[in-house]
Amino acid sequence: MYRTKTIDFSKVKCYVKSVDITGIERSNDDYIRKHVGHEIFNSGNFEDVLEKSQEIRARLLKLGCFKTVDIVIDADNSEKSSKSYKVLVEVEEQNPVGGNIHTSIGNNEGSLSSAVYLPNIFGKGERLVAEYTYGTNNHVDYRVSYTNPINQDPEKHFNASAFRTSNDFSWSKYKQTDSGFNIDILTPFEFMLRNKYHVKGTHLFTYEAIWRNLISYMDSAFEIREQSGHSLKSSIKYTNLIDRRDHTALPTAGGFLKTTIELAGLGGDVKFFRYNSDYQYTKTFFNYLTTQFSLSEGLILPLKKSDPISVIDKNFLGGPLSLRGFKNRGAGPHSDDCSLGSDVYCLAGAHLYTPLPFLHKNKKLNWLKTHSFANIGYILSNNQISIENLA
């Protein structure tokens, strides 16, 4: 008869003599050594060695340099002491060239996207990506972007992108082409709120320069046709994101807050101040009833009263992912069947998700749920305070 014995690894005294890494070909040695760290050499027992080994594995996977990272802990035969161990880190690097093709369905539009990327091109987690997207509503996007970790920290990114896009906004009867570039700096933050809640999020700082061309339809409203032609937008933008949801697409608990502030007018002929925020809170009762509340709001203001706000920059409501009951961007002012957009908007929603009968215990199909909802919103111009435009 076999007997089982429980071993408390925290009482198994040991130390780490060496850490060896195999499989590195293109990655920079100093970059990898920095993220392996020296903490594992301070381990005093086997439990510490296991925990710190897993921390090393998690850090290396975050770098974006490797497909797989495996760790083997073995006795160090070069030492006479039985308490001496060596850690072997076995990695498989990303292919020097990769790519993907995928489809997606968004707000009344399907799209096909393809990308070719070069990961870890200089050995320190850099990434160069070329993307092409084609949508069913005559949406075309060409984009090349370069991402580089800041101070060799994979959670802090510098990103530079150049792009050219073309869109057909049939609800407003105009086409738009954009050519430009943007520069992003992403940094994380965390703090304790009231010494009780641990809050983590990201800061995103963006500079954007875009040459835009608005081409109106033959039957466009005059308000659209008079805006036809070229414009140059140069802006800085700050985005604050806090996401504590347990799932980005189908959350069952947690909150989400995103706030964006943009100032345009650093050169070019487009000048405005914009504010947008999105809030979402989800909670599940009795393991099956998931409630969700959402709130979105925004405004755009000209820097001078004489500076007009283009329809390209206006706010719109309406559609299955916005204000339900209206066609896409169908809420708000219109002229000759053209949606003109407005300056201020607010949108609130309440949702209830419940499992389908007989499927809530099926792990493969329990994401299929019934969805009940109610939403309300309004869209107004800056000088309009009448309640009659409530939607």
Side-chain angles (χ1 to χ4, degrees):
M1 181 180 292
Y2 293 100
R3 292 183 301 173
T4 60
K5 182 180 180 181
T6 302
I7 299 176
D8 186 353
F9 286 137
S10 65
K11 295 181 180 180
V12 179
K13 302 301 180 182
C14 67
Y15 64 91
V16 174
K17 178 65 175 179
S18 64
V19 176
D20 299 322
I21 306 175
T22 62
I24 293 179
E25 297 178 1
R26 294 182 294 115
S27 300
N28 183 275
D29 291 344
D30 292 336
Y31 183 57
I32 302 304
R33 190 179 295 111
K34 175 180 178 179
H35 292 284
V36 169
H38 297 86
E39 295 87 354
I40 195 168
F41 293 105
N42 299 324
S43 302
N45 56 66
F46 200 74
E47 184 178 62
D48 284 346
V49 174
L50 291 174
E51 291 178 353
K52 289 182 170 61
S53 296
Q54 289 304 312
E55 291 173 2
I56 290 174
R57 181 177 182 273
R59 288 198 297 268
L60 292 180
L61 286 172
K62 278 185 179 181
L63 301 182
C65 303
F66 308 115
K67 285 183 181 179
T68 60
V69 177
D70 297 315
I71 294 183
V72 178
I73 303 173
D74 198 3
D76 184 12
N77 295 326
S78 65
E79 294 285 321
K80 294 181 179 180
S81 173
S82 61
K83 297 180 181 180
S84 176
Y85 286 84
K86 61 181 179 180
V87 176
L88 177 62
V89 182
E90 301 174 341
V91 301
E92 180 183 1
E93 290 189 329
Q94 297 273 7
N95 294 329
V97 180
N100 60 62
I101 299 176
H102 68 271
T103 59
S104 60
I105 299 176
N107 198 7
N108 281 349
E109 182 181 26
S111 62
L112 173 68
S113 300
S114 61
V116 176
Y117 51 85
L118 283 70
N120 199 27
I121 54 176
F122 300 123
K124 294 185 178 181
E126 306 87 350
R127 188 179 183 90
L128 182 66
V129 182
E131 298 174 279
Y132 169 76
T133 301
Y134 179 80
T136 54
N137 291 339
N138 295 323
H139 166 69
V140 180
D141 184 295
Y142 303 89
R143 189 175 299 267
V144 177
S145 60
Y146 171 77
T147 303
N148 185 51
I150 299 175
N151 293 328
Q152 300 184 7
D153 186 343
E155 295 187 351
K156 299 179 181 179
H157 290 158
F158 167 85
N159 178 272
S161 301
F163 57 86
R164 179 176 175 81
T165 65
S166 176
N167 292 280
D168 188 349
F169 297 103
S170 57
W171 46 82
S172 298
K173 295 186 178 180
Y174 73 86
K175 297 180 181 180
Q176 179 184 338
T177 59
D178 295 340
S179 301
F181 69 91
N182 57 45
I183 296 173
D184 300 321
I185 296 177
L186 176 71
T187 61
F189 69 86
E190 57 180 303
F191 61 90
M192 293 297 296
L193 181 63
R194 297 180 180 177
N195 295 321
K196 184 178 180 181
Y197 301 103
H198 187 207
V199 180
K200 298 178 66 176
T202 57
H203 300 294
L204 178 62
F205 302 91
T206 303
Y207 171 76
E208 190 173 59
I210 308 177
W211 176 25
R212 315 183 300 184
N213 185 20
L214 189 153
I215 306 170
S216 61
Y217 289 9
M218 293 293 293
D219 59 342
S220 299
F222 176 75
E223 291 87 342
I224 300 295
R225 287 187 281 116
E226 69 176 348
Q227 300 182 50
S228 296
H230 299 273
S231 61
L232 180 61
K233 173 187 168 185
S234 175
S235 69
I236 54 173
K237 185 189 301 183
Y238 167 72
T239 302
N240 180 286
L241 176 63
I242 299 173
D243 192 349
R244 298 189 64 188
R245 298 173 296 178
D246 57 356
H247 194 279
T248 56
L250 295 172
T252 59
F256 168 89
L257 176 63
K258 180 180 179 181
T259 304
T260 302
I261 297 173
E262 182 179 12
L263 178 65
L266 307 177
D269 55 351
V270 178
K271 300 177 182 180
F272 62 75
F273 169 82
R274 184 198 298 276
Y275 164 82
N276 295 95
S277 70
D278 298 287
Y279 173 75
Q280 182 187 98
Y281 180 74
T282 306
K283 188 174 181 62
T284 298
F285 298 93
F286 311 113
N287 294 326
Y288 299 117
L289 302 179
T290 301
T291 58
Q292 185 179 98
F293 301 93
S294 60
L295 176 66
S296 299
E297 58 185 359
L299 63 87
I300 184 169
L301 299 171
L303 298 187
K304 297 180 181 179
K305 291 185 177 180
S306 58
D307 295 331
I309 301 295
S310 171
V311 66
I312 295 175
D313 303 306
K314 292 278 190 176
N315 294 309
F316 294 85
L317 283 182
L321 300 181
S322 175
L323 184 59
R324 292 175 170 90
F326 291 83
K327 64 181 182 180
N328 200 34
R329 298 196 176 189
H334 283 68
S335 177
D336 294 337
D337 202 30
C338 292
S339 179
L340 303 179
S342 200
D343 305 313
V344 182
Y345 76 92
C346 184
L347 177 66
H351 308 262
L352 175 65
Y353 299 92
T354 57
L356 291 173
F358 312 111
L359 292 180
H360 62 281
K361 294 183 179 181
N362 189 319
K363 293 183 179 180
K364 294 183 179 180
L365 298 176
N366 60 5
W367 56 272
L368 292 172
K369 301 177 183 291
T370 62
H371 179 203
S372 304
F373 63 87
N375 63 358
I376 184 172
Y378 66 79
I379 184 165
L380 304 169
S381 62
N382 290 321
N383 57 2
Q384 187 177 19
I385 59 173
S386 173
I387 198 172
E388 64 186 13
N389 273 41
L390 283 173

